[in-house]
Amino acid sequence: MLSIPASTKIHLCVLPVDMRRSFDSLAELVRTQMGEEPLSGHMFLFRNKSEDKLKVLWWDRDGFALFYKRLEKGKFSLPPSTGGTLEIDSSVLSMLLHGFDAGAMKRQKRYEVSKV
């Protein structure tokens, strides 16, 4: 189980990606398509067209780590999005990896510090 610090953002690339891509080409997608810095320490999720594979690219202090999950049956239920990227938190990532439909779940309102 991954322990993800609360300060780590998780960006989901909603557009399908060729799962043959590896460290450098995924990092380039983070820069060009997502407009983020891959060396930031945040996590970047990519899915394939059939939604049965996920890759996570993460800079871990001294190098990239790449996590890959392939489902033998079924699909990942991704949250709905109109844009190319979506920021999710670690609880949504955990639900995705464990087979929950993250799009069907409704988060209750909570206090949140406003971002300036």
Side-chain angles (χ1 to χ4, degrees):
M1 184 68 189
L2 287 173
S3 177
I4 303 170
S7 61
T8 302
K9 293 180 182 177
I10 304 170
H11 300 279
L12 171 64
C13 181
V14 179
L15 302 173
V17 171
D18 183 352
M19 286 291 120
R20 293 174 292 182
R21 290 179 176 256
S22 192
F23 298 97
D24 296 326
S25 60
L26 289 174
E28 188 60 27
L29 282 178
V30 170
R31 283 188 194 94
T32 58
Q33 288 187 359
M34 299 173 84
E36 298 289 335
E37 176 55 48
L39 303 177
S40 64
H42 299 308
M43 294 184 147
F44 301 95
L45 272 69
F46 302 93
R47 68 168 184 95
N48 67 333
K49 190 174 184 178
S50 59
E51 296 182 349
D52 63 347
K53 297 176 182 85
L54 279 180
K55 274 191 178 181
V56 179
L57 180 69
W58 177 44
W59 178 260
D60 182 27
R61 286 181 258 152
D62 59 355
F64 280 117
L66 191 63
F67 303 97
Y68 186 38
K69 182 161 184 175
R70 180 188 72 195
L71 297 177
E72 294 301 318
K73 185 176 181 182
K75 295 182 176 188
F76 290 104
S77 296
L78 302 170
S81 174
T82 56
T85 63
L86 179 67
E87 189 175 329
I88 62 174
D89 61 20
S90 59
S91 62
V92 174
L93 175 59
S94 181
M95 287 189 297
L96 280 174
L97 295 176
H98 287 94
F100 289 91
D101 185 351
M105 303 199 78
K106 183 178 176 185
R107 183 178 296 276
Q108 299 298 316
K109 290 188 179 200
R110 297 285 188 256
Y111 176 77
E112 185 176 309
V113 177
S114 62
K115 299 175 185 176
V116 178

